[in-house]
Amino acid sequence: MGKYGIGQPVMRFEDPHLLRGQGRYVDDRNLPGQAYAVFLRSPHAHARIRSIDVAAAQQAPGVVAVLTGADYAADGLGMPKATMPRKRPDGSPMFAPQRPALIVDRVRYVGDPVAMVIADSLAQAKDAADLVVVDYEPLPSVTDTAQAVEPGAPAVWDECPDNISNVVERGNKAATEAAFQKAARVVRRRYVVTRVHAQFMEPRGTLGVYDPGEDRLTLYADVQYPHRVRNMLAQHVFRIPESKLRVIAGDIGGAFGTKGWQYVEHRLTLWAARKLRRPVKWTCERSEAVMADEHGRDNIGDIELALDADNTFIGLRLHMLANIGAYIGSDRNLLSPFGMIGTVNGVYAIPAAYVHITGLLSNTNPTAPYRGAGRPEAIYLIERLIDDAARELGIDRVALRRQNMLPPSALPYQSPLGPYYDCGAFEENLDMALSLADVAGFAARRSESRQRGRLRGLGIVNAIEQAAGTAQPEYAEIRFNPSGSAMMLMGTKAQGQGHETMYKQILHERLGIDPHDVQFIDGDTDRVAFGMGTMGSRSTVLGGSALYLAADKVIEKGKKIAAYMLEAAVQDMEFADGKFKVAGTDKAVGLKQVAMTAFQPARLPPGFEGGLYENATYVAAKDTFPNGCHVCEVEVDPETGVVSLQRYAVVDDVGTVINPIGLKGQIHGGVAQGVGQILMEQVVWDRESGQLLTASFLDYAMPRADSMSDVVIKSNPVPTQFNPLGAKGAGEAGTVGALPVVMNAIMDALAEVGVTQLDMPATPDRVWRAMQQARAG
């Protein structure tokens, strides 16, 4: 409908105030009389705490309080815990150590918080933190994923000497074993998916406030799930009614899954504010972030593909080690490796599959969802394996994919690992991407690169992901004002994705409201009645569908008011283009006028409830499965090992496209994060000492503009029938395809000089060494 409807390329309404520096991020929040918190963090990966001496710090200028874990325990505050049903290899319950707010006895990773120093100024708090004396007894540590489960590896927890928290199985083991026994060929590989950090624009922060008059807590924080943060803090930490706690999340400078809901600083600043009767603020500094935050990825997959004599896939088997870190503070720490591995079959017809995942503990930060949350890892494993299988068997990799791809006639398709693919055009995506990327001209471009002394490689992958999970509902409310303008209150939380624009387009499509007459509200548990927040590419699918249903309710009530205004029967009323019309006549009235009338009792039917405000809670019937095809070309300098992207093309199917501009932005950003992980990003510890080696931008590399090439995007939407919008989700699609396609392109280039094995990140040093080893071999 019009220039603001669904499918229109609308510029983002939320951008002007951000570009003018008028955003309200958590660090912009300041209150009279606030104090400043600094956390003293462990410099050891593993150590016993003999004593903590805070006396000198307490006497330092401006210091208000120095709090430790003993103080926390004395006040009787609780801790959340994981509840997902899991078992250890012997069938005993999962070993899931809770995450203490402040450590009292034994630190288990570099960055574990030991003390909280609060002062009148940030500088005073920092100075005082230097005066806290902690007597540590260093202990052996393990930070390497593979090493953590080796016999004799240091135990992160004495109660769990093998460092195995839990195991999870999916698929049919017996059927998969049978498939492998009859296979003509089996291709086996081990792939490492490295640990990364989100490195969002704005580091985390929190401002805790206590109102003694109302006996009420307020938390300002950059969180993705405000209502879930409130519920967790109220129920499990402070043990108070939710009505006694408010969470406000304003502008958020990126989140990518890492700004979830289970960070100890949230409860600690609230606790301190209540104890001190003054606001307490903490802002994470960039040099602190990698130590303080949860990390993403970090797993090792031993994957096998069984093929028959005709090179048809007949079985897939995966054994994966997933590094969870030192603590399991909530189910969030279990989601990535276990919840999303089902798409490891990709878009291929593999009749038998079995996955076994070992969740292991290490002396590292806990891991949690990071853009894609297990889906990029799954597609990385299957798509790298198919390329290696084609190379090993001496056949064309595109032909191998095409032969085994699910055809349209196979859909809907029930995967042996659980996912239910309802729709898609996988081979059409592939064909469109091959054309869009001019793969036919690759040979000539490779020849030209050779003439310049460069190696050129081509990557082609098919990506699919499980999005917008059915387990959690979402909420939307449309609230008209007496003037006829409207408020839109959403239970999701924007973090830069363009939610305001997207939701206004949906509302304009359904109700014809001018987007400039709509106020967008999210992120405040006092203003928005309910919500599960934003993660897993769910906002358009679930939040948008809830808004769609709420709009339906507005229309139904509006018809009754309009019928009375036009002296017509309700059943004769039609609604389209923002107007209520009597069928077969030219009698009509606009929605805005109806909304204004709704607040005038004298103009309403007798006994009719006035006002016009409707809400809806939407629960999806099935998960959605965004998919697509990525094609990438790279050049490798054999003298230096430097990899440079030359071309990148994407054909995506995210179902109904609400805003093409926003969609392209999401895919561009997702691709950049995938490229960063493949080329340079990695959180690294020294294996002997456990010291964090990549704590700042000096050591943790990230992609820049010159790390990228142009990214050409074309949509091939196949709307799903499982939600009223037909949307599938788009927020993580770029990353899901980027990890495998960039790595496959690099391996294709390096195959010319005999390199057969290389794990991410493909830094110049690692690439150069791989080439030297291949030449020596």
Side-chain angles (χ1 to χ4, degrees):
M1 177 189 289
K3 67 176 183 178
Y4 294 121
I6 289 176
Q8 298 302 309
V10 179
M11 298 298 287
R12 297 183 3 153
F13 292 105
E14 49 267 82
D15 283 350
H17 84 280
L18 297 175
L19 295 173
R20 295 178 185 133
Q22 296 166 346
R24 298 194 68 186
Y25 298 91
V26 66
D27 196 46
D28 294 322
R29 304 271 187 178
N30 292 288
L31 296 174
Q34 71 186 22
Y36 296 81
V38 167
F39 289 97
L40 182 70
R41 300 184 182 275
S42 168
H44 300 281
H46 198 191
R48 186 172 289 108
I49 296 177
R50 295 193 183 101
S51 64
I52 303 175
D53 186 353
V54 301
Q58 287 174 327
Q59 301 303 313
V63 170
V64 178
V66 181
L67 302 174
T68 66
D71 301 313
Y72 187 93
D75 282 1
L77 300 181
M79 289 191 292
K81 63 180 180 180
T83 59
M84 283 185 177
R86 293 283 188 270
K87 300 286 186 182
R88 281 183 30 84
D90 61 4
S92 61
M94 166 179 65
F95 182 76
Q98 291 175 275
R99 185 174 185 179
L102 293 168
I103 307 301
V104 294
D105 54 355
R106 194 158 147 185
V107 293
R108 289 181 166 86
Y109 68 89
V110 173
D112 234 349
V114 175
M116 180 183 190
V117 180
I118 305 166
D120 292 327
S121 73
L122 180 60
Q124 289 172 326
K126 287 182 177 181
D127 288 344
D130 290 338
L131 300 177
V132 177
V133 179
V134 184
D135 184 7
Y136 292 105
E137 177 190 344
L139 300 171
S141 64
V142 58
T143 56
D144 181 80
T145 301
Q147 184 185 5
V149 291
E150 291 178 357
V156 180
W157 294 82
D158 294 340
E159 304 91 326
C160 186
D162 60 4
N163 290 328
I164 296 177
S165 165
N166 63 90
V167 295
V168 171
E169 297 176 283
R170 294 182 73 168
N172 189 319
K173 185 176 183 180
T176 305
E177 295 293 339
F180 272 83
Q181 288 174 6
K182 67 179 182 182
R185 302 178 181 86
V186 174
V187 180
R188 300 179 176 87
R189 290 293 188 277
R190 165 172 279 205
Y191 301 120
V192 176
V193 178
T194 51
R195 178 179 286 236
V196 289
H197 180 268
Q199 299 290 12
F200 19 68
M201 181 181 77
E202 181 198 26
R204 290 189 304 110
T206 172
L207 174 61
V209 183
Y210 176 67
D211 182 341
E214 292 189 350
D215 186 27
R216 197 161 190 256
L217 294 162
T218 299
L219 176 73
Y220 296 90
D222 49 346
V223 295
Q224 296 175 236
Y225 334 133
H227 290 83
R228 292 164 67 188
V229 171
R230 179 197 63 180
N231 297 347
M232 181 274 291
L233 290 170
Q235 296 173 16
H236 300 294
V237 176
F238 294 100
R239 303 185 182 97
I240 57 177
E242 285 96 331
S243 59
K244 291 288 186 181
L245 203 155
R246 179 184 187 184
V247 175
I248 301 173
D251 289 316
I252 295 177
F256 313 117
T258 304
K259 290 181 179 176
W261 61 278
Q262 216 286 21
Y263 279 110
V264 298
E265 294 88 1
H266 300 152
R267 61 184 104 149
L268 290 172
T269 50
L270 284 175
W271 168 55
R274 190 171 68 175
K275 286 179 74 71
L276 302 174
R277 296 295 198 268
R278 62 188 290 190
V280 175
K281 182 175 184 176
W282 170 73
T283 301
C284 185
E285 299 195 353
R286 186 65 69 182
S287 59
E288 182 185 13
V290 181
M291 292 188 292
D293 297 346
E294 292 171 324
H295 297 164
R297 321 275 195 235
D298 200 349
N299 49 64
I300 299 173
D302 290 302
I303 187 168
E304 304 169 272
L305 183 63
L307 303 90
D308 67 12
D310 295 325
N311 296 324
T312 298
F313 302 162
I314 61 173
L316 182 136
R317 191 161 50 197
L318 169 65
H319 287 79
M320 191 167 84
L321 298 177
N323 193 335
I324 303 171
Y327 306 103
I328 303 178
S330 71
D331 290 340
R332 168 178 167 76
N333 302 122
L334 302 173
L335 291 177
S336 294
F338 309 118
M340 297 300 174
I341 200 63
T343 52
V344 73
N345 276 12
V347 298
Y348 307 103
I350 305 177
Y354 170 72
V355 172
H356 182 282
I357 304 173
T358 300
L360 58 92
L361 301 164
S362 65
N363 293 113
T364 63
N365 302 52
T367 52
Y370 167 68
R371 199 167 194 168
R375 286 102 86 188
E377 297 93 310
I379 299 303
Y380 182 82
L381 293 172
I382 183 63
E383 289 292 329
R384 278 211 66 183
L385 186 62
I386 292 174
D387 259 30
D388 279 344
R391 239 180 247 113
E392 189 172 307
L393 300 173
I395 57 179
D396 180 74
R397 53 190 168 162
V398 174
L400 183 61
R401 286 176 167 85
R402 198 184 296 276
Q403 175 183 340
N404 289 282
M405 188 176 290
L406 289 164
S409 60
L411 301 176
Y413 173 75
Q414 179 64 63
S415 163
L417 291 176
Y420 182 79
Y421 301 167
D422 63 309
C423 63
F426 308 139
E427 189 167 11
E428 189 174 295
N429 291 342
L430 175 62
D431 290 334
M432 289 174 63
L434 295 177
S435 175
L436 185 66
D438 184 28
V439 171
F442 172 72
R445 292 191 293 274
R446 171 174 269 181
S447 177
E448 188 275 332
S449 294
R450 285 196 187 111
Q451 293 174 15
R452 292 185 289 105
R454 299 289 192 270
L455 305 172
R456 195 176 189 102
L458 173 69
I460 303 168
V461 308
N462 299 299
I464 192 166
E465 56 167 319
Q466 186 172 352
T470 60
Q472 298 165 334
E474 199 44 78
Y475 175 86
E477 180 180 354
I478 303 167
R479 189 185 304 170
F480 281 87
N481 301 309
S483 65
S485 62
M487 302 163 67
M488 177 172 53
L489 301 98
M490 302 300 303
T492 56
K493 181 69 200 87
Q495 305 134 37
Q497 304 96 324
H499 283 188
E500 179 179 351
T501 304
M502 177 265 294
Y503 287 136
K504 285 184 175 181
Q505 287 184 253
I506 295 172
L507 202 60
H508 180 76
E509 180 79 17
R510 298 292 295 138
L511 299 181
I513 304 178
D514 185 335
H516 300 93
D517 288 341
V518 180
Q519 179 186 6
F520 172 71
I521 298 170
D522 73 353
D524 187 336
T525 59
D526 271 13
R527 302 174 77 185
V528 182
F530 171 77
M532 298 303 292
T534 291
M535 67 286 181
S537 300
R538 71 189 299 274
S539 295
T540 302
V541 177
L542 303 181
S545 294
L547 186 62
Y548 187 101
L549 298 181
D552 278 350
K553 294 181 180 180
V554 168
I555 293 170
E556 288 307 306
K557 185 171 183 178
K559 283 182 178 180
K560 297 175 183 177
I561 300 173
Y564 190 75
M565 295 172 67
L566 299 173
E567 299 180 340
V570 173
Q571 59 268 28
D572 292 335
M573 298 306 302
E574 298 175 344
F575 181 79
D577 299 328
K579 292 182 179 180
F580 295 93
K581 181 180 179 181
V582 181
T585 75
D586 59 358
K587 296 173 66 176
V589 63
L591 174 60
K592 187 170 185 177
Q593 188 175 350
V594 168
M596 295 169 67
T597 302
F599 293 91
Q600 302 172 34
R603 300 182 62 188
L604 297 175
F608 190 83
E609 181 183 11
L612 190 56
Y613 12 77
E614 300 292 342
N615 60 61
T617 302
Y618 178 78
V619 181
K622 296 278 189 181
D623 295 347
T624 58
F625 289 89
N627 59 86
C629 182
H630 292 230
V631 181
C632 175
E633 288 184 32
V634 302
E635 273 192 349
V636 179
D637 184 341
E639 298 300 319
T640 64
V642 171
V643 176
S644 60
L645 263 67
Q646 298 297 307
R647 301 164 68 97
Y648 201 110
V650 181
V651 171
D652 67 86
D653 169 16
V654 300
T656 300
V657 177
I658 308 298
N659 185 342
I661 295 176
L663 173 61
K664 287 184 178 180
Q666 285 292 289
I667 293 176
H668 278 138
V671 167
Q673 286 184 274
V675 168
Q677 179 158 5
I678 293 301
L679 294 186
M680 61 197 71
E681 293 189 52
Q682 185 179 12
V683 179
V684 180
W685 289 269
D686 180 82
R687 289 189 61 171
E688 298 301 321
S689 68
Q691 281 302 304
L692 181 62
L693 302 179
T694 51
S696 73
F697 287 168
L698 289 173
D699 304 298
Y700 188 99
M702 286 189 298
R704 305 179 305 185
D706 61 358
S707 304
M708 302 294 295
S709 66
D710 287 341
V711 179
V712 183
I713 300 169
K714 187 171 184 178
S715 289
N716 185 31
V718 182
T720 178
Q721 299 299 309
F722 287 137
N723 63 73
L725 289 172
K728 295 179 178 178
E732 288 144 313
T735 310
V736 173
L739 261 70
V741 79
V742 177
M743 199 65 188
N744 278 355
I746 294 170
M747 296 306 296
D748 184 54
L750 297 180
E752 290 196 64
V753 292
V755 176
T756 59
Q757 177 60 32
L758 178 69
D759 283 315
M760 63 176 82
T763 58
D765 173 71
R766 292 164 66 95
V767 171
W768 185 85
R769 290 182 184 277
M771 289 188 290
Q772 302 312 305
Q773 291 168 3
R775 286 167 178 153

